[in-house]
Amino acid sequence: MSVNDRIQLARGDITRFEVDAIVNAANSTLLGGGGVDGAIHLAAGPGLLEECRTLGGCPPGEARITGAYALPATWVIHTVGPIWRGGTNGEDQTLASAYRSSLALAASVEARTVAFPSISTGIYGFPIDRAASISLTTIRNSLATHPTIETVTLVCFNDANHTAYATLLDKAS
Ligand code: APR
């Protein structure tokens, strides 16, 4: 199966996806926030924050893993994307690292199915088309490295993200 066959595009709320691991677009404190971070903590319940408190934060570009509590997933992988500051502060590299670290962590617990939101494209302001291109390239490279990961689902919460990914995936097919 080609790596492209292992990448799926979906619309919806990531908290409802019954996959082995969902990825959270967190901040470096790992103590919750708005956006998808807020939605995941709300749906998971207080146990998620209690576990996050034990982790001591997470630098941008890295990832940490916890249980998923009341969520249908088994794990939550918390990663911290870059805050967009114009593109000359290593944002591209940090975004790629966030996706790469998340998939390496997923592989380490033998998660077979992983769902991502569009990291950094909300509150952190990363341009959507640029983020979609970086994330797809990184995910493809990571799937080639981690054969145990069967499927990565890109969960888009709005049309702009969905269109950006659909355009790139169509080109690849
Ligand atoms: N399911 C899937 N995607 C979602 C959901 C959801 N329930 N809610 C929001 N999104 C999408 C947004 O539309 C955006 O495309 O997730 C993407 C990431 O947006 P944010 O959640 O704002 O995350 P980010 O841009 O990475 O900013 C991170 O926001 O919530 C805080 O604590 C977080 O400080 C951190 C910052």
Side-chain angles (χ1 to χ4, degrees):
M1 186 184 268
S2 81
V3 290
N4 281 328
D5 294 335
R6 293 158 62 193
I7 298 173
Q8 293 177 354
L9 183 59
R11 278 299 304 268
D13 175 350
I14 200 168
T15 66
R16 298 179 184 280
F17 278 67
E18 297 190 27
V19 292
D20 290 340
I22 64 169
V23 178
N24 180 22
N27 60 63
S28 54
T29 69
L30 296 185
L31 299 181
V36 70
D37 194 4
I40 286 173
H41 276 275
L42 183 65
L48 181 60
L49 181 57
E50 283 168 30
E51 184 173 358
C52 284
R53 287 192 200 286
T54 69
L55 299 177
C58 179
E62 293 188 22
R64 299 290 186 270
I65 194 166
T66 65
Y69 300 90
L71 288 161
T74 303
W75 292 282
V76 179
I77 292 172
H78 307 262
T79 194
V80 181
I83 297 171
W84 180 254
R85 292 191 172 91
T88 59
N89 296 272
E91 292 97 321
D92 291 0
Q93 292 75 14
T94 303
L95 185 65
S97 177
Y99 280 94
R100 188 166 46 250
S101 304
S102 297
L103 287 171
L105 207 42
S108 73
V109 296
E110 296 185 353
R112 295 173 301 105
T113 55
V114 184
F116 278 95
S118 305
I119 296 166
S120 283
T121 64
I123 294 167
Y124 279 1
F126 204 108
I128 289 173
D129 290 342
R130 188 173 178 143
S133 175
I134 291 166
S135 62
L136 270 179
T137 299
T138 308
I139 290 167
R140 287 182 179 125
N141 292 339
S142 294
L143 284 176
T145 309
H146 302 297
T148 55
I149 299 175
E150 293 170 6
T151 310
V152 169
T153 303
L154 303 166
V155 181
C156 298
F157 202 58
N158 58 42
D159 289 341
N161 280 289
H162 192 270
T163 303
Y165 277 121
T167 304
L168 292 172
L169 288 167
D170 284 349
K171 283 179 185 167
S173 60

